[in-house]
Amino acid sequence: MRLSTRKLLDKSFTFCAVMAVVVLTAFLIFVLAPIFVRGCGAYVFRGTVEYRRMMLDQFGRGDEVALAREIALAQTARQPVYSAVTAFEAELKQMPAARRREMRPLFKVVREGLELLLGPEPGKPLPTLPRMLYGQTRWDGARRHLKHVLYEVQWDYSDDDDGVRVLAPRKPFFAGTALEPIFDLLENDLDRMLNPRLTFYGRFLTDKSVDAHFFGGIGPEVMGTIYLALTAMLIAVPLGVVAAIYFQEYAEGGAVMTFLRSCVNTLAGVPSIVFGLFGLAFFINTIKVSQGKSVLAGALTLALLVLPTVIRASEEAIAAVPRAYKEGALALGAGQWRTVLTIILPAALPGILTGVVISMGRAAGETAPIIFTAAVSVGKLSRPLKMLFRDTPALSWNLYNICTEHEAVDRIRHVQYGMALTLVVLVLALNLVAILIRARVSKRLKG
Amino acid sequence: MDAELNLVDNEAHVRAEEFSVFYGEHEAVRRINMSIPAKQVSAIIGPSGCGKSTFLRAINRMNDLIPGCHARGRLIFDRRNIYGNDIDVAVLRGCIGMVFQKPNPFPKSIYDNVAYGPRLHGSYRKSDLDMIVEESLTKAALWDEVKDRLNKNALGLSGGQAQRLCLARALAVKPEILLMDEPTSALDPKATARIEELIVELRGSYTIAIVTHNMQQATRVSDVTAFFYEGDLVEFGKTDQLFTRPVEKRTEDYITGRFG
Ligand SMILES: Nc1ncnc2c1ncn2[C@@H]1O[C@H](COP(=O)(O)OP(=O)(O)OP(=O)(O)O)[C@@H](O)[C@H]1O
Ligand SMILES: [Mg+2]
């Protein structure tokens, strides 16, 4: 090959490699960055006076006296709005019937918008659903919501078949009425009415949710995920490690072993939804480990899913233990089990642990296997042993659930992102642990 | 051929009678007759692949680990056939210690390395164990170097120290016989000299069989020498005799460096 050709080839290879890294980095940034930034929004945000009111009512947290003062201030700021509403109501009654019919639905929309924004009007009977007891608890939600009150979404089809979304101000509809001033009031004074303050809600991680994730945190989901993953590992690790020891130290080849091995490898390639269905059919319907979904059934299914990974990682770790260690132990008169327990396993432990921790991350993140075997959208926490036979919420499945089946998907975006972030961080943290273990191994092997 | 030494019977610690070792069909050690004398150092020499290691590893049955490896004939130790059915291999290996070519300390603390054997064969009190560890390390001339870091990982030792640790580890089980397969081939001359000194010191208390490629080493440390060639025991005799007046032509050729 000519030198110039070789140089060209070299250069293009380098270019490809650099491009690959760039694309990879871009992917990471575009995928992880939004999850991170928006996920943090569940923990750190500007909470309004409504948020503090809700926290005091629902969780008994906060300073009652200071809050009372804050509410009074907010009430003062809101008063002109409510006065305008009352005045307009009276005005509406005086109107000619035709105009009234025209105004009433528009007024209703504004009024409902106001309730969503600021909470129930003072003096009216309190609704029962917690979500209707409070206005916008988060400033970003309030800003978004304000737009719905101030503008009406319309579609302009004048020059485009698909139509163009336009925001039409509502104010002109009410020009000249008593309601007109509230639009300016809201636009200019909203922060006094809601008093947003930078809030750190660390207990999002541990709090139970209130009214289907409208308020509160993701505690049950986090705990459920941990329970599921831990129980799954408790089942998969002893089984997998013993199987790996057998494959590596005892099995003498032969057709049966080859068959078993390839079975394990095939297991690794089975789609996770199949595991889910199998779990339902076998663990719940056939051997009936529990009545219906339970942590145990889910953990068994997850254990089955990660078993090949655990076995393979353990086998590799055991195979990597120098033969000389084993010979040394045997030459001192150790039996085979003794050698495995005192020499081979300790030397292979870091490698095994790495595999275990990575599998645990996998078990924590899997959704499909627990759909039919363990996960429910709302659940209570109870004592661990009792928990074993109960269904449970879990991050992965509930994330899917509140993103698709929740009745107000777009009002709880922060919870969705918070959940996603928490799950990602959980799995990353587990992987980090694996990396740390790896690092310790190589240090230990160097002596 | 008969390479039997003129030994009174109870002087022989291990005696091979028509002893063969096979790897599958391949007979790596062929119908050997020899006696390893008690409390002396026996050297086994011979060109590469002649079956020295195979024979040595047969004595503590380390060959059991190799699939397809089996023995024929008799190998007598303590009036019993090492390959007999009534032998408990773990106990046998407790009586016959081994030091390998490459130092192979366990990835544990120095203390745990030495205490590993005793812990296998009985339960000791901590103070007894401490004593055994000190005694074994002292015998292996390692005590002074490591007494302040007994709890440090043994993988941090130098090659020579590690090999002496392996020796101490083998001694801690209180064996009667020590098998050494080229114990110094991975070491520098200084460390080699230390090990040789140790072998000379241990002579008289232990029966030692050592495989070596180094003729000088054989002459320096051993009382008797066996010369293996292609699985056969060609000549076996007092070391000074074998190296000065070999009976066999092949022995002479080998020790004078004409082949191997
Ligand atoms: N595990 C094994 N499987 C099959 N054959 C083997 C095995 N180990 C050794 N052999 C064969 O047995 C013969 C003797 O080998 P052995 O290792 O005893 O030689 P050695 O004298 O120790 O050589 P060296 O001086 O190189 O260590 C050789 O022909 C070798 O190829
Ligand atoms: Mg050898």
Side-chain angles (χ1 to χ4, degrees):
Chain A
M1 205 186 291
R2 294 230 318 278
L3 183 63
S4 55
T5 336
R6 214 162 58 211
K7 270 191 174 159
L8 194 70
L9 264 178
D10 260 5
K11 272 201 183 121
S12 36
F13 271 130
T14 316
F15 178 75
C16 286
V18 170
M19 276 324 284
V21 171
V22 168
V23 170
L24 195 73
T25 318
F27 258 134
L28 276 181
I29 290 173
F30 283 118
V31 173
L32 286 186
I35 290 181
F36 184 77
V37 172
R38 304 186 67 169
C40 281
Y43 293 92
V44 182
F45 53 90
R46 300 180 73 188
T48 63
V49 61
E50 296 297 310
Y51 168 78
R52 289 180 281 281
R53 207 153 67 77
M54 182 273 292
M55 283 313 261
L56 190 65
D57 286 359
Q58 304 289 338
F59 294 94
R61 286 184 212 140
D63 179 350
E64 229 165 307
V65 181
L67 184 62
R69 211 176 309 129
E70 199 187 342
I71 291 175
L73 270 177
Q75 220 38 265
T76 323
R78 291 172 191 190
Q79 199 46 54
V81 175
Y82 289 131
S83 307
V85 169
T86 325
F88 182 75
E89 242 180 335
E91 201 177 317
L92 202 60
K93 286 195 185 111
Q94 314 296 313
M95 278 181 194
R99 184 147 165 73
R100 192 160 64 216
R101 259 200 304 283
E102 193 191 340
M103 280 300 212
R104 186 157 268 153
L106 293 172
F107 176 52
K108 199 171 160 231
V109 170
V110 171
R111 207 164 183 184
E112 279 170 5
L114 267 182
E115 278 198 352
L116 274 174
L117 189 61
L118 299 177
E121 269 174 46
K124 282 180 99 182
L126 283 182
T128 40
L129 269 184
R131 77 186 71 161
M132 299 172 79
L133 279 175
Y134 309 98
Q136 292 297 311
T137 54
R138 299 163 55 96
W139 185 240
D140 55 344
R143 300 292 313 177
R144 217 170 38 237
H145 222 84
L146 178 64
K147 225 176 242 159
H148 290 297
V149 179
L150 295 182
Y151 302 96
E152 184 183 5
V153 178
Q154 287 178 344
W155 294 89
D156 181 2
Y157 293 100
S158 55
D159 49 24
D160 191 333
D161 288 344
D162 293 339
V164 178
R165 194 168 170 267
V166 285
L167 293 176
R170 293 184 203 274
K171 192 174 153 191
F173 287 116
F174 296 95
T177 66
L179 201 63
E180 191 187 358
I182 72 158
F183 297 101
D184 286 335
L185 273 173
L186 284 174
E187 194 158 15
N188 301 325
D189 257 1
L190 190 66
D191 53 348
R192 281 210 302 130
M193 298 178 203
L194 286 173
N195 193 20
R197 254 194 246 152
L198 194 65
T199 308
F200 176 66
Y201 182 27
R203 283 156 99 164
F204 178 72
L205 191 65
T206 52
D207 273 349
K208 67 183 197 319
S209 87
V210 172
D211 195 7
H213 286 296
F214 269 93
F215 309 119
I218 54 172
E221 284 80 7
V222 174
M223 282 318 287
T225 296
I226 293 175
Y227 273 144
L228 276 169
L230 276 183
T231 316
M233 293 330 281
L234 236 50
I235 299 164
V237 171
L239 213 64
V241 172
V242 171
I245 291 172
Y246 188 80
F247 281 147
Q248 282 293 318
E249 297 293 323
Y250 287 79
E252 310 206 321
V256 181
M257 277 303 126
T258 318
F259 176 72
L260 264 181
R261 269 233 172 94
S262 53
C263 279
V264 170
N265 287 338
T266 314
L267 213 57
V270 173
S272 51
I273 184 71
V274 177
F275 279 101
L277 286 168
F278 169 80
L280 172 67
F282 184 69
F283 294 125
I284 297 181
N285 290 345
T286 310
I287 63 170
K288 295 195 170 56
V289 294
S290 58
Q291 322 235 268
K293 298 179 185 180
S294 69
V295 169
L296 184 60
L300 281 166
T301 313
L302 285 172
L304 214 58
L305 177 94
V306 297
L307 201 55
T309 323
V310 174
I311 293 182
R312 223 183 276 170
S314 309
E315 270 199 87
E316 263 164 39
I318 290 171
V321 175
R323 247 185 92 78
Y325 292 171
K326 192 176 147 192
E327 288 197 332
L330 289 173
L332 288 171
Q336 196 162 19
W337 257 116
R338 203 61 190 255
T339 311
V340 166
L341 284 183
T342 57
I343 300 294
I344 294 179
L345 275 189
L349 194 63
I352 294 176
L353 277 183
T354 314
V356 166
V357 172
I358 286 175
S359 308
M360 193 160 154
R362 170 109 197 268
E366 274 293 343
T367 314
I370 59 171
I371 297 179
F372 309 114
T373 54
V376 284
S377 51
V378 242
K380 266 206 322 240
L381 283 180
S382 49
R383 275 179 293 118
L385 219 58
K386 225 169 161 185
M387 203 61 209
L388 215 51
F389 299 97
R390 282 241 186 112
D391 48 19
T392 177
L395 282 174
S396 58
W397 190 78
N398 280 61
L399 180 56
Y400 167 77
N401 187 49
I402 63 169
C403 289
T404 54
E405 283 162 23
H406 197 276
E407 67 253 63
V409 216
D410 56 349
R411 280 183 62 190
I412 52 164
R413 289 280 180 235
H414 60 284
V415 184
Q416 296 160 8
Y417 277 102
M419 234 187 228
L421 176 71
T422 311
L423 185 56
V424 168
V425 167
L426 198 77
V427 173
L428 280 185
L430 284 175
N431 285 322
L432 197 72
V433 170
I435 291 169
L436 287 180
I437 293 173
R438 257 281 127 85
R440 271 200 54 191
V441 193
S442 40
K443 221 174 104 187
R444 217 176 84 179
L445 286 185
K446 277 185 208 125
Chain B
M1 72 147 291
D2 190 1
E4 194 91 30
L5 259 196
N6 286 328
L7 290 163
V8 190
D9 199 42
N10 64 5
E11 273 184 74
H13 209 162
V14 173
R15 201 172 65 241
E17 295 172 354
E18 295 290 307
F19 183 70
S20 301
V21 183
F22 297 82
Y23 291 110
E25 296 294 299
H26 173 61
E27 193 172 9
V29 170
R30 213 170 298 144
R31 301 169 75 89
I32 281 186
N33 291 291
M34 73 179 263
S35 296
I36 295 175
K39 317 267 183 204
Q40 295 190 23
V41 179
S42 312
I44 302 174
I45 60 170
S48 198
C50 67
K52 307 181 294 290
S53 298
T54 305
F55 176 62
L56 200 74
R57 290 165 58 92
I59 299 175
N60 66 347
R61 286 190 52 175
M62 285 302 280
N63 284 336
D64 290 8
L65 298 182
I66 299 163
C69 183
H70 58 100
R72 193 178 297 158
R74 296 188 345 125
L75 196 57
I76 307 294
F77 165 68
D78 221 4
R79 276 186 232 102
R80 287 199 292 177
N81 188 358
I82 286 176
Y83 278 85
N85 290 329
D86 56 338
I87 291 290
D88 180 344
V89 180
V91 175
L92 176 82
R93 289 181 185 149
C95 300
I96 307 180
M98 188 165 210
V99 175
F100 295 83
Q101 180 171 1
K102 266 173 72 186
N104 61 344
F106 302 135
K108 297 173 182 291
S109 72
I110 293 172
Y111 184 96
D112 285 339
N113 262 277
V114 183
Y116 187 82
R119 280 177 179 148
L120 285 178
H121 294 283
S123 47
Y124 291 87
R125 270 181 295 136
K126 175 92 173 83
S127 54
D128 292 342
L129 217 49
D130 287 350
M131 230 173 61
I132 295 176
V133 168
E134 176 171 354
E135 200 182 309
S136 310
L137 283 169
T138 310
K139 271 192 199 157
L142 193 60
W143 176 250
D144 290 332
E145 284 160 71
V146 300
K147 64 172 181 246
D148 299 323
R149 49 173 178 147
L150 287 176
N151 291 319
K152 290 271 159 56
N153 196 314
L155 296 186
L157 295 175
S158 75
Q161 287 174 327
Q163 193 63 303
R164 273 179 282 149
L165 178 68
C166 292
L167 185 59
R169 190 173 69 183
L171 291 176
V173 188
K174 303 197 160 55
E176 300 169 29
I177 303 178
L178 267 179
L179 308 173
M180 302 185 177
D181 193 352
E182 303 182 44
T184 60
S185 65
L187 304 182
D188 65 75
K190 222 173 141 197
T192 301
R194 301 277 323 243
I195 300 279
E196 286 182 14
E197 272 169 41
L198 275 172
I199 294 172
V200 173
E201 272 167 37
L202 294 173
R203 179 189 175 277
S205 325
Y206 300 89
T207 302
I208 297 174
I210 174 172
V211 168
T212 177
H213 275 287
N214 182 336
M215 308 300 160
Q216 278 77 41
Q217 186 168 68
T219 52
R220 278 195 299 263
V221 302
S222 71
D223 303 289
V224 295
T225 300
F227 171 60
F228 277 58
Y229 186 73
E230 288 181 354
D232 293 317
L233 175 61
V234 174
E235 188 166 349
F236 182 42
K238 291 247 157 38
T239 299
D240 41 9
Q241 228 160 39
L242 188 132
F243 278 97
T244 48
R245 279 162 291 155
V247 178
E248 292 283 324
K249 175 85 172 64
R250 279 178 293 177
T251 316
E252 190 180 342
D253 287 349
Y254 180 69
I255 58 182
T256 51
R258 239 161 273 172
F259 68 85

